[in-house]
């Protein structure tokens, strides 16, 4: 299992755990998981179901995203970000793994949002991620999505709210 802990934040970014490495996550200190793979991907490989079976449904969140390098609406990831922040805030022993397929882009979006919601300035959050996860790619549009979401009060968004332009609106509530 290739995962990297991000500073002292008890937050890790990693790639999709294999069947063999999934059982080793607890030994690595992982207590919670955020899976950032698209729903169709999780159905095919059953990774989300396996994670929930091993850790319990209450300790695994899903942020269903494809990685096309285009805007990611918060309805796909905001609940998972709040889940991770709540886990870290509620339990000093909690350690959250955020993963996608390769641990490079979607998981970085979510980890960046977690750090920003926990009070890190944008530059420091970015530096922490790229300083601890060499594979990390800070996709500019993904970072902009997070910043816009924060400007709107970081709401948990569950339903799509698209404007006529095909971009999600400035106000989400």
């Amino acid at each position: 299992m290739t995962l990297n802990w991000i500073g002292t934040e008890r937050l890790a970014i990693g790639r999709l755990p294999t069947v063999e490495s999934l059982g080793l996550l607890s030994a690595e200190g992982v207590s919670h998981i955020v899976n950032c793979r698209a729903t169709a991907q999780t159905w095919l490989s059953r990774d989300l179901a396996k994670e929930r079976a091993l850790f319990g449904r209450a300790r695994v969140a899903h942020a269903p995203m494809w990685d096309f390098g285009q805007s990611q609406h918060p309805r796909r990831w905001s609940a998972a970000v709040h889940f991770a922040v709540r886990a870290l805030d509620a339990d000093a022993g909690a350690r959250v793994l955020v993963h996608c397929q390769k641990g490079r882009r979607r998981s970085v979006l979510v980890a960046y949002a977690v750090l920003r919601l926990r009070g890190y300035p944008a530059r420091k959050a970015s530096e922490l991620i790229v300083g601890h996860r060499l594979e990390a790619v800070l996709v500019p549009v993904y970072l902009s999505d997070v910043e816009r979401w924060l400007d709107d009060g970081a709401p948990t968004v569950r339903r799509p709210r698209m404007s006529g332009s095909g971009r999600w609106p400035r106000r989400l509530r």
Side-chain angles (χ1 to χ4, degrees):
M1 176 70 204
T2 305
L3 60 85
N4 300 99
W5 294 102
I6 307 303
T8 59
E9 274 303 299
R10 299 177 290 126
L11 179 69
I13 299 173
R15 64 182 307 122
L16 174 67
T18 63
V19 172
E20 297 80 23
S21 66
L22 187 59
L24 303 174
L25 290 178
S26 292
E28 290 281 337
V30 174
S31 62
H32 295 74
I33 295 176
V34 174
N35 183 324
C36 300
R37 290 170 23 96
T39 301
Q41 292 176 301
T42 66
W43 286 344
L44 291 172
S45 65
R46 307 280 303 145
D47 54 293
L48 183 61
K50 291 172 188 168
E51 291 164 359
R52 287 179 171 162
L54 186 62
F55 284 85
R57 188 170 188 82
R59 291 182 173 256
V60 178
H62 188 211
M65 294 181 275
W66 289 105
D67 186 9
F68 297 126
Q70 297 173 345
S71 184
Q72 296 279 6
H73 193 286
R75 75 176 178 275
R76 301 200 174 281
W77 49 266
S78 65
V81 170
H82 284 285
F83 162 86
V85 169
R86 278 192 311 272
L88 294 169
D89 288 348
D91 180 0
R95 293 169 59 104
V96 179
L97 167 64
V98 182
H99 80 79
C100 53
Q101 184 71 31
K102 296 181 181 176
R104 294 182 11 187
R105 295 164 51 113
R106 292 173 283 184
S107 55
V108 167
L109 178 160
V110 170
Y112 177 80
V114 168
L115 292 174
R116 293 289 286 125
L117 199 54
R118 292 198 64 174
Y120 280 88
R123 183 174 179 173
K124 181 64 175 173
S126 298
E127 289 171 355
L128 273 173
I129 290 170
V130 298
H132 289 89
R133 179 78 177 165
L134 297 178
E135 301 93 328
V137 176
L138 297 167
V139 179
V141 71
Y142 292 177
L143 300 183
S144 295
D145 289 342
V146 171
E147 296 304 321
R148 193 169 5 168
W149 172 71
L150 290 168
D151 288 346
D152 287 332
T156 301
V157 182
R158 300 197 188 277
R159 292 191 186 118
R161 292 186 178 166
M162 299 300 287
S163 65
S165 66
R167 296 202 30 96
W168 49 279
R170 187 114 176 104
R171 298 301 302 159
L172 296 172
R173 288 177 253 163

